[in-house]
């Protein structure tokens, strides 16, 4: 469970998970934010890239790799009219250290096709229940 | 554009947006994390709740509401087997202050049906392009 509370400023919210970690959700000043934290659409990209990066790191380690770095760059292209959903997402994965390229590729494919729960939620939408 | 870099510890990553905001992406120790930040699936919930909360706050203000609080609680039910995608997401929206209930409901509906770009991305999947 995650809860978000309005911070009292602009349209900025503070999100908290059950362990007490906090994230500021905000947007640029032109849209009424204070530009002090990640925008929701960027958090969607973080969520997806984080999920795949963690999968890849876990899987290549099991194959004996010793990574010294793992970087994921991700960007989305938005629909020009409402809803401004992502119509394309591009990402780039770069690893450094001692590993076999085939193991990295296999780890990526396993994440994409089997393990990444964020990717599997996008495109196979859950049921939604709300109370307001 | 968002970039994620392995922090050098466990399977923890540091995400950075173009404005330089940072978020720690992590997971519980049982899964190889350090439990120092939000897990990817929770960030997906933050992204969705943040998007809707910002829409609602912006829209009800335009209708003259003076909210003193806005809280969104959101939780997901995961598929028991891989991929452990969300099969159900429940959220609860509570507002305090001086507003008309019909305006709050209308703002929620506009977010859900027209504006929320995160919700519209879930279920209408973008194209993906990758380089590894």
């Amino acid at each position: 469970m995650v809860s978000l509370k309005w911070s009292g400023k602009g349209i900025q919210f503070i999100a908290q998970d059950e362990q007490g970690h906090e994230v500021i959700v905000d947007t640029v000043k032109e849209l009424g934010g204070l530009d002090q934290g990640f925008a929701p659409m960027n958090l969607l990209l973080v969520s997806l890239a984080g999920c795949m990066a963690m999968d890849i790191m876990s899987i290549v380690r099991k194959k004996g790799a010793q990574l010294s770095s793992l970087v994921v760059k991700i960007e989305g292209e938005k629909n020009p009219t409402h809803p401004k959903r992502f119509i394309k997402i591009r990402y780039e994965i770069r690893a450094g250290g001692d590993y076999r390229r085939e193991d990295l590729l296999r780890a990526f494919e396993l994440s994409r096709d089997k393990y990444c729960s964020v990717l599997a939620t996008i495109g196979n939408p859950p049921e939604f229940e709300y109370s307001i």
Side-chain angles (χ1 to χ4, degrees), chain A:
Chain A
M1 218 265 289
V2 169
S3 69
L4 274 88
K5 287 180 191 179
W6 180 45
S7 74
K9 298 179 289 182
I11 52 171
Q12 182 186 80
F13 286 78
I14 312 293
Q16 195 172 70
D17 68 10
E18 287 179 347
Q19 287 76 42
H21 305 120
E22 288 193 346
V23 167
I24 298 173
V25 189
D26 205 344
T27 189
V28 292
K29 291 175 184 172
E30 297 89 300
L31 296 176
L34 285 91
D35 198 14
Q36 293 174 344
F38 272 71
M41 285 290 266
N42 277 341
L43 285 172
L44 180 62
L45 296 178
V46 172
S47 154
L48 176 60
C51 175
M52 299 195 78
M54 285 179 168
D55 283 348
I56 291 170
M57 184 61 102
S58 298
I59 296 167
V60 294
R61 271 194 195 145
K62 285 182 190 150
K63 293 176 185 285
Q66 299 272 2
L67 296 191
S68 56
S69 66
L70 185 60
V71 176
V72 182
K73 292 186 178 176
I74 185 165
E75 62 182 349
E77 189 183 317
K78 290 180 190 171
N79 196 43
T81 55
H82 293 297
K84 294 180 179 170
R85 67 182 191 88
F86 285 131
I87 51 178
K88 188 179 275 193
I89 291 178
R90 292 181 199 88
Y91 55 93
E92 181 188 300
I93 299 166
R94 295 287 177 261
D98 181 18
Y99 67 93
R100 290 187 304 175
R101 178 151 174 81
E102 67 198 76
D103 290 340
L104 182 70
L105 289 176
R106 182 68 185 135
F108 163 70
E109 288 165 1
L110 281 169
S111 176
R112 183 191 60 188
D113 302 336
K114 181 171 182 186
Y115 292 111
C116 179
S117 44
V118 173
L119 184 60
T121 301
I122 299 173
N124 195 349
E127 255 185 89
F128 289 98
E129 267 183 22
Y130 61 89
S131 142
I132 180 166

